[in-house]
Amino acid sequence: VTLPADVVGECNEDISAVELPSPDIISSIFLEQDQELCISGCDISQFYNRLQAPSEVIRLLGMPRIKASLLGLSSKSGHLVPCLTCIPMGATFAVALAQAVTSSILRSNGMNVPRAYRSLIDTQLSQGTKVPLVYIDDVNILGTDADQVNRERDVARESLESAKLPT
């Protein structure tokens, strides 16, 4: 995954905490009495395995050294130090990076993705409104019309797959 400039800028900001959704955010949405809340989504397959770690970080992600012969590498002598080459899942930086990459791809394909779930608090969803939300490598579409929500999910899926990120 090649990082667009806006993602790099977003990730260079302070990422000591990542804002993730909680049930209180969804429960704070206001709907008219006769409306239903429709939600649809998609998930990027094996996303963390696709985020290449920066070369200067790979050595820091080293495992304990192991004899090459124990790995069946008889042509090598001595010890090897296995290293992770992708960003480890769960690290704050990895979560922020994954969320920023997903959001950037969707924005570059014309989807109006809010920067944060918190922007949903006290949101009034009127008839025909749809909101795409990114949760790390998941895209959720909230709205009042199931067909419209599913169409927007399909747009998100096509956008991600065009960036070679299968859903």
Side-chain angles (χ1 to χ4, degrees):
V1 174
T2 304
L3 303 180
D6 65 322
V7 171
V8 174
E10 203 172 304
C11 288
N12 281 334
E13 297 172 7
D14 180 22
I15 56 166
S16 58
V18 179
E19 184 179 305
L20 299 175
S22 65
D24 67 308
I25 295 171
I26 301 296
S27 67
S28 70
I29 296 173
F30 291 97
L31 297 169
E32 295 297 323
Q33 189 170 0
D34 61 340
Q35 291 179 324
E36 292 181 340
L37 177 63
C38 303
I39 302 174
S40 187
C42 59
D43 176 74
I44 300 171
S45 175
Q46 301 295 320
F47 191 44
Y48 282 99
N49 298 331
R50 300 173 194 281
L51 292 174
Q52 186 73 32
S55 57
E56 60 273 9
V57 174
I58 290 176
R59 291 185 60 105
L60 300 175
L61 301 175
M63 311 284 198
R65 65 188 197 131
I66 186 169
K67 286 184 182 180
S69 60
L70 291 175
L71 296 173
L73 301 173
S74 55
S75 62
K76 303 275 185 189
S77 62
H79 290 83
L80 298 175
V81 180
C83 293
L84 294 174
T85 58
C86 58
I87 306 263
M89 186 177 0
T92 301
F93 179 77
V95 171
L97 181 63
Q99 195 154 302
V101 167
T102 306
S103 296
S104 175
I105 291 168
L106 297 177
R107 282 191 197 103
S108 69
N109 283 280
M111 293 184 76
N112 185 20
V113 180
R115 290 237 177 245
Y117 263 81
R118 305 281 327 149
S119 62
L120 273 182
I121 290 184
D122 299 330
T123 295
Q124 176 76 42
L125 280 182
S126 57
Q127 190 64 38
T129 303
K130 61 185 182 313
V131 180
L133 298 166
V134 173
Y135 172 68
I136 309 175
D137 62 346
D138 298 321
V139 180
N140 298 298
I141 314 295
L142 281 64
T144 57
D145 178 275
D147 290 335
Q148 189 179 42
V149 165
N150 285 331
R151 277 193 302 275
E152 188 80 352
R153 182 222 36 229
D154 292 343
V155 169
R157 181 180 289 144
E158 289 168 11
S159 298
L160 295 167
E161 290 177 353
S162 73
K164 298 187 174 36
L165 295 172
T167 57

